[in-house]
Structures are given as C-alpha cells and as structure tokens.
Amino acid sequence: MASLIIDSNGNFKQAVVLEIQPAALQSEKSKYEQVLNEVFKTENFLPAHNNDGKKPDLSNLYIRVTIQTAN
C-alpha cells in the first residue's frame, strides 16, 4: 500500500510506501518509492476538500500497487 501526497491544487507531490509484501522486500522500499514518484510525477488529481469546503494544504490518496516482473 502506498500514499500519494497531493497538494491543494491537485498536483502530485510525493509517494510513500506504507506497506510492502512480501516482507522480505522491506529493504527495497526506497526503490519502490522512487519508481512510484517517477510514474506519478506528472499526474494531476482532483484536490481534496474538507466538510466545510476548504481545501487542505496536503492530502493523501491511498492506493494499492501490484508490481509484476516482465516475462
């Protein structure tokens, strides 16, 4: 599982890997974060908003990512 950090304008800021499976890949976490940052660096999202309609400075979009080896 990863969190994409999105600013109040909907611009992607950073990806953070929260959970990685299998656990043996935990030492590779920073490599997977680099890949996610590269994949999403030019993406735009709808910005988050609070119940009062105000946009927070930063918000999190939680995603599940499956990476498979190319055959």
Side-chain angles (χ1 to χ4, degrees):
M1 177 169 292
S3 172
L4 304 182
I5 300 171
I6 311 298
D7 72 11
S8 61
N9 295 314
N11 299 311
F12 171 78
K13 291 301 194 186
Q14 180 182 5
V16 178
V17 173
L18 303 173
E19 180 184 331
I20 192 165
Q21 291 181 6
L25 294 175
Q26 189 66 32
S27 64
E28 305 291 323
K29 182 178 170 180
S30 65
K31 289 181 184 179
Y32 288 101
E33 285 179 344
Q34 288 176 350
V35 169
L36 290 173
N37 279 300
E38 186 66 29
V39 167
F40 289 104
K41 72 180 180 183
T42 60
E43 295 298 320
N44 290 306
F45 299 85
L46 290 175
H49 63 278
N50 296 324
N51 289 339
D52 63 4
K54 293 181 182 177
K55 295 179 185 178
D57 291 336
L58 297 173
S59 60
N60 294 291
L61 173 61
Y62 298 103
I63 62 170
R64 288 197 182 276
V65 179
T66 302
I67 300 174
Q68 296 177 311
T69 59
N71 293 337

